[in-house]
Amino acid sequence: MSDIKITQYVSTEERGKFREQTIAAPTLGPYDIIMKMMVCGVCHTDCVFMGQDGLVLGHEPVGKVVAAGSEVTRVKIGDVVGTSYLKHSCMECRECTSGEDAMCCKRVMFPEGNLNGFASHQVVDSRWAYKIPEGLPLDTAATLMCAGVTVFNALHASKIAPTARIAVIGIGGLGHLALQFARAWGCHVTAISHSPSKKEEALKMGAHDFLSSKDFTPEYIAKLDKYDLILDTVSVNLDFDLYIDLLKRNGAFYLIGLPDAPITFKNSMNFLVNQNVFKGSIIGGRYVIDLMLEFAQRHNIRTMTEEYSFNLEGLEQAIERCDKSLARYRAVLVAKD
């Protein structure tokens, strides 16, 4: 058994309030590593789970490997690595052997296991740990572990051509990364937001043009050039019929955010005759995360972050900002050493 003690920041029954607890690091399995936390992103999904007493949250961690099991070969002590939402899969089914391990029926996902990122150390299976490319800022690397791979996986799965037109709905934690990835993909990129004040920022992030959803009416939509792919990154309900009308024939709408009401379509005929696709997309598996990290470093993808101290006070400040959708655009906890 390792003599490392782990300080965890544990959810209480009160949303947004946490407490410290210290545990002994468990005995490492042959493929396990212990990473000492350097940075951890704070995600809206953490807000969804908080308020459950005893739960350790945090799924955008980056840290240095300080201990390793006997069969660890993917990383070594001293490496800086990150881990993501997917923590384990069977490695034998068709999904796993085809690079779709996030779809494994036996997958283990955050927050299962309770050894998660809001802590001084994390114990993880090294086969689901990812070396951070040299030169990639750690705050960006951390946020790529969930926000980044969420949008990158949708682009990768869509098999979109670099000649395509893409619209990104929402310029927030997911959306501002989607703009950068889509621009680097080679596509024409349009930012769509209900906040016209975000236009200049969106253009700097990679958008070629900007649409204010406050202007959307059937007549307005009818005059616009249409899109091959729409990425919906917002967690609110939309007039989906209106947005589907923004698609070209055979165009696809990818749902990445989680709507706050049932999804309905009133005009199913247009949807059918234009052969449009409406599809959900979550985080990617190991193959896609490795690709994303390489792509992000090559194309200088960078996250806009707010930094907070990696302690109880910093966590409560950061998660409050995230819960109120005030962070611009991701909050990260940064350890002092």
Side-chain angles (χ1 to χ4, degrees):
M1 177 178 291
S2 169
D3 59 359
I4 293 175
K5 301 295 183 182
I6 301 177
T7 299
Q8 297 177 312
Y9 304 111
V10 184
S11 292
T12 68
E13 292 181 352
E14 183 180 354
R15 279 180 55 83
K17 295 298 180 182
F18 298 79
R19 57 181 170 83
E20 284 190 19
Q21 72 176 19
T22 300
I23 64 170
T27 301
L28 296 184
Y31 296 101
D32 289 343
I33 58 172
I34 300 178
M35 48 191 285
K36 183 179 180 182
M37 217 59 64
M38 302 170 73
V39 180
C40 188
V42 179
C43 178
H44 183 71
T45 306
D46 296 313
C47 300
V48 172
F49 284 107
M50 71 179 179
Q52 300 180 52
D53 189 45
L55 201 59
V56 180
L57 302 175
H59 56 279
E60 293 183 334
V62 168
K64 184 173 292 187
V65 179
V66 295
S70 59
E71 300 296 322
V72 173
T73 59
R74 181 175 169 88
V75 298
K76 64 182 184 300
I77 291 176
D79 284 346
V80 177
V81 302
T83 65
S84 186
Y85 208 91
L86 177 67
K87 303 171 78 171
H88 198 271
S89 68
C90 77
M91 302 181 70
E92 296 178 348
C93 66
R94 288 183 177 179
E95 286 75 19
C96 285
T97 56
S98 65
E100 291 282 350
D101 44 341
M103 294 292 102
C104 174
C105 291
K106 297 180 180 179
R107 68 189 182 188
V108 178
M109 306 276 270
F110 168 84
E112 295 178 66
N114 224 31
L115 291 169
N116 295 310
F118 293 163
S120 62
H121 299 74
Q122 183 176 8
V123 179
V124 300
D125 188 321
S126 62
R127 294 169 294 184
W128 279 265
Y130 311 93
K131 287 185 182 180
I132 303 305
E134 186 176 350
L136 187 66
L138 296 189
D139 61 334
T140 289
T143 57
L144 292 180
M145 291 296 106
C146 178
V149 73
T150 297
V151 296
F152 184 88
N153 185 59
L155 285 168
H156 183 264
S158 73
K159 298 180 170 57
I160 196 73
T163 53
R165 289 172 53 83
I166 295 180
V168 175
I169 305 172
I171 316 304
L174 296 177
H176 89 288
L177 288 170
L179 292 176
Q180 295 179 64
F181 276 121
R183 179 65 179 252
W185 215 270
C187 301
H188 180 96
V189 185
T190 298
I192 300 176
S193 174
H194 72 284
S195 302
S197 61
K198 291 186 177 181
K199 177 179 178 178
E200 293 306 316
E201 204 164 47
L203 296 177
K204 291 178 182 178
M205 291 173 187
H208 292 90
D209 48 35
F210 179 93
L211 296 175
S212 172
S213 57
K214 292 181 177 180
D215 297 329
F216 283 10
T217 63
E219 295 75 20
Y220 182 82
I221 294 291
K223 297 176 182 178
L224 296 175
D225 291 334
K226 302 305 187 281
Y227 297 91
D228 300 280
L229 176 65
I230 297 175
L231 301 179
D232 177 12
T233 72
V234 297
S235 294
V236 297
N237 200 38
L238 301 173
D239 182 341
F240 287 102
D241 288 281
L242 204 57
Y243 282 87
I244 290 297
D245 285 344
L246 274 172
L247 289 173
K248 294 181 181 180
R249 293 182 177 183
N250 294 315
F253 185 107
Y254 273 62
L255 185 70
I256 300 174
L258 184 63
D260 55 5
I263 296 170
T264 59
F265 295 98
K266 302 181 183 70
N267 191 351
S268 57
M269 181 58 71
N270 278 356
F271 190 83
L272 291 172
V273 299
N274 290 324
Q275 294 191 154
N276 293 134
V277 174
F278 188 91
K279 182 177 181 178
S281 181
I282 59 168
I283 51 94
R286 292 177 296 165
Y287 173 67
V288 171
I289 292 175
D290 278 337
L291 284 180
M292 174 201 63
L293 288 170
E294 179 183 343
F295 187 93
Q297 177 64 344
R298 181 189 308 147
H299 293 286
N300 201 35
I301 306 299
R302 296 293 183 263
T303 310
M304 288 183 61
T305 60
E306 299 177 353
E307 294 189 1
Y308 297 85
S309 297
F310 207 140
N311 54 33
L312 201 61
E313 181 182 6
L315 170 57
E316 291 182 352
Q317 290 172 347
I319 209 160
E320 180 181 15
R321 292 276 294 173
C322 182
D323 196 33
K324 293 180 178 179
S325 299
L326 296 175
R328 297 289 291 265
Y329 282 101
R330 304 290 289 189
V332 294
L333 306 177
V334 181
K336 290 183 179 179
D337 51 17

